[in-house]
Amino acid sequence: MQLSPEMLTGKSRAHLEHLPTVHSQHHFLQAQALKAFQSLQQCALQNGFNLQPASTFRDFERQKLIWNSKFNGERKVHDDHGNALDLSVLSEWEKAQAILRWSAMPGASRHHWGTEIDIFDPDLLPQGQPLQLEPWEYEQGGYFFELTQFLQEKLPHFDFYFPFVQSEKNTEVGCEPWHISYFPLAQIAQEQFTPDLLLTAWQNEDIAGKTILTTNIDEVFGRFWVV
């Protein structure tokens, strides 16, 4: 499915269908991705895992809220070990780079496309432990490690992959073993997405650090855009 600029940047939901889950009524995917994920869920269940989405579609306004909160020091920005960074000692460009390691700019999140899912298994999450979506939870010694191993084997059979683990390009985006992508549709969206399309979506939008991001947009795409 060819997506409009509004769909690609999270400003339209016209390409989406509702993904019903026990835990939330707010999950949406493109129809083909939804059907494939439900098949993956059934396979996971047969192998002893309760595979659930923590996040699917995220609209422009939600991504802007996340970005602005981080840029303004109202939300944690962490290093590769999960430790909070002190943004007050950084320049605007340094802050932007630190945030881009783990968070996309408004309009530039793959979650806008309806092809992306952050996954977890609520049955493996220790009681009282909030989900962090940080690498240590999914790596050896973490409570989702067996789920990670299962998905590494099974994802290709359902046309999913880990875009922030298996990137063909050496980028500076952090490793996200919880983020899976439905390749057939995500590939189309990637090919359509451009810096100019993003800058058009930013017109009349209050985005923290927009000036420094606009000035360095080509470097941002070169260093923090997964293809």
Side-chain angles (χ1 to χ4, degrees), residues 108 110 113 169 171 173 190 193 220-227:
R110 295 173 63 103
W113 303 344
K169 182 179 177 182
T171 72
V173 177
Q190 281 184 189
F193 200 91
V220 168
F221 268 71
R223 292 172 54 197
F224 298 100
W225 184 246
V226 173
V227 297

Side-chain angles (χ1 to χ4, degrees), residues 184-197:
L185 298 181
Q187 182 71 9
I188 295 172
Q190 281 184 189
E191 292 170 356
Q192 291 181 266
F193 200 91
T194 65
D196 286 341
L197 184 147

Side-chain angles (χ1 to χ4, degrees), residues 13 15-31 33-35 37-38 53 56-57:
R13 295 172 177 256
H15 54 310
L16 305 174
E17 292 191 6
H18 179 238
L19 171 65
T21 71
V22 174
H23 302 281
S24 173
Q25 296 301 310
H26 302 290
H27 291 300
F28 297 87
L29 294 168
Q30 290 192 51
L34 187 155
K35 183 177 180 180
F37 180 66
Q38 288 177 325
T56 50
F57 171 74

Side-chain angles (χ1 to χ4, degrees), residues 30-123:
Q30 290 192 51
Q32 186 178 338
L34 187 155
K35 183 177 180 180
F37 180 66
Q38 288 177 325
S39 296
L40 177 62
Q41 281 184 306
Q42 286 299 313
C43 179
L45 186 62
Q46 293 166 6
N47 284 271
F49 296 103
N50 180 16
L51 182 66
Q52 295 297 326
S55 179
T56 50
F57 171 74
R58 191 180 306 141
D59 67 17
F60 183 95
E61 288 301 315
R62 176 61 180 167
Q63 195 67 28
K64 183 171 73 172
L65 176 64
I66 293 170
W67 177 270
N68 287 356
S69 296
K70 289 190 173 185
F71 201 92
N72 295 326
E74 299 162 357
R75 183 188 289 252
K76 177 185 175 184
V77 178
H78 62 82
D79 63 16
D80 288 6
H81 305 290
N83 302 311
L85 297 173
D86 181 4
L87 299 188
S88 67
V89 301
L90 303 180
S91 68
E92 286 206 340
W93 177 228
E94 288 170 334
K95 283 198 294 185
Q97 293 172 84
I99 298 168
L100 284 164
R101 177 86 173 141
W102 298 104
S103 294
M105 300 170 291
S109 173
R110 295 173 63 103
H111 281 282
H112 297 329
W113 303 344
T115 59
E116 314 299 300
I117 310 164
D118 292 341
I119 54 85
F120 77 118
D121 184 337
D123 295 346

Side-chain angles (χ1 to χ4, degrees), residues 103-161:
S103 294
M105 300 170 291
S109 173
R110 295 173 63 103
H111 281 282
H112 297 329
W113 303 344
T115 59
E116 314 299 300
I117 310 164
D118 292 341
I119 54 85
F120 77 118
D121 184 337
D123 295 346
L124 298 178
L125 191 66
Q127 188 172 3
Q129 173 67 44
L131 180 66
Q132 303 293 313
L133 291 181
E134 293 183 3
W136 59 268
E137 296 173 292
Y138 295 78
E139 296 169 349
Q140 190 163 8
Y143 29 77
F144 299 136
F145 180 60
E146 291 184 357
L147 175 64
T148 300
Q149 292 182 303
F150 165 77
L151 291 174
Q152 286 173 339
E153 177 186 352
K154 296 297 184 182
L155 285 188
H157 299 289
F158 298 90
D159 291 326
F160 283 96
Y161 77 115

